[in-house]
Structures are given as C-alpha cells and as structure tokens.
Amino acid sequence: MKLEQTLNLVPVKKPKHNNPIVQRRHRLVNNINKQIEAVRKFQLGEKVSRIWWWSNEEGEIFLPIKYGKNDLELAKGKYSIQCQNMNDVEKSLETVKLLASKGQLDELITNISKDIRAKFGKD
C-alpha cells in the first residue's frame, strides 16, 4: 500500500509567519478554555482565581468575555452575558468559543487589540 493511497496528502507548508488575526483568535479561545475549566472546578467546590463571571446582590450571574483585561463589547453597549446558573455560564463560554474559533469575533478582538496597543504607543 502506498502512502498516497492511505493518507490525504496536500501541497501545503506551514507559513513562516502566523497571521495576527489567527493568533488573537487562538489566544481568546485558550482563555475561554481556561474559564471553562475554572467553571468545572468551581462546581466541584475547588478554589478558583481569575474568573470572568460575577454575580450581583440579587444573585444574577454575569459573564463578560475578556481579551486581555478588557471586556469585549459583544453588541452595542453590551459587555456581559446574563446567565441563570453555572451550567449556563459553561454553555455560554462554549458558544462564544465556537463563534471565536469560526472567526466571528475577529473584528471585536482586532479592534480591542488596536485600543490596547494604542495605550502602549505602538502601531
């Protein structure tokens, strides 16, 4: 059996430089994965730190999506997802991760990245 018959071979090489949009997307997805793990640990009663979600005095849970230390503006003037419980927080994170991995949040993270870089005086 030949190699070409057993595997799907293509004439593609890894690019020498990563696309900055793809790098930002991967960074966001990795941070969302960390938050999903934090939710699971929290549900098991383990101590967690650097969590994104928070609850108000009435016990409502809110989940901002962060890029760096900045909240993404998910819609005009809307920075958080309201969740019913911790399972809902996890489901919301999974949904946002899917959207991010498909590139649907690229414009948001590109804009916030520009804002962050402007604070440091870089282009």
Side-chain angles (χ1 to χ4, degrees):
M1 191 177 298
K2 291 187 174 185
L3 188 63
E4 295 88 10
Q5 294 173 336
T6 58
L7 301 172
N8 183 21
L9 302 178
V10 293
V12 178
K13 290 184 177 183
K14 182 179 177 181
K16 293 183 181 186
H17 301 286
N18 288 336
N19 182 338
I21 293 171
V22 174
Q23 287 177 332
R24 289 185 202 108
R25 186 184 309 154
H26 288 305
R27 186 176 303 128
L28 179 61
V29 169
N30 287 338
N31 286 330
I32 291 171
N33 284 333
K34 290 176 185 176
Q35 291 300 308
I36 292 169
E37 185 62 29
V39 168
R40 292 177 182 158
K41 287 180 178 181
F42 182 81
Q43 290 176 315
L44 294 173
E46 296 180 31
K47 185 179 178 187
V48 291
S49 60
R50 298 184 181 173
I51 57 174
W52 290 352
W53 69 89
W54 57 278
S55 58
N56 64 8
E57 297 82 20
E58 290 83 34
E60 298 170 316
I61 302 171
F62 298 96
L63 173 65
I65 303 301
K66 296 185 175 281
Y67 186 79
K69 293 182 180 181
N70 301 302
D71 297 347
L72 291 177
E73 186 175 15
L74 302 170
K76 181 123 177 112
K78 298 184 180 182
Y79 293 89
S80 294
I81 302 164
Q82 186 171 1
C83 302
Q84 301 299 317
N85 53 41
M86 292 309 294
N87 288 333
D88 198 20
V89 171
E90 185 175 355
K91 288 177 189 173
S92 296
L93 285 166
E94 290 287 355
T95 301
V96 173
K97 180 173 86 170
L98 180 63
L99 293 172
S101 64
K102 290 183 176 182
Q104 295 182 10
L105 301 179
D106 286 352
E107 185 177 338
L108 292 175
I109 57 179
T110 298
N111 291 339
I112 203 156
S113 177
K114 287 178 185 176
D115 292 343
I116 292 168
R117 292 181 72 173
K119 291 177 185 175
F120 291 102
K122 296 180 182 177
D123 352 275

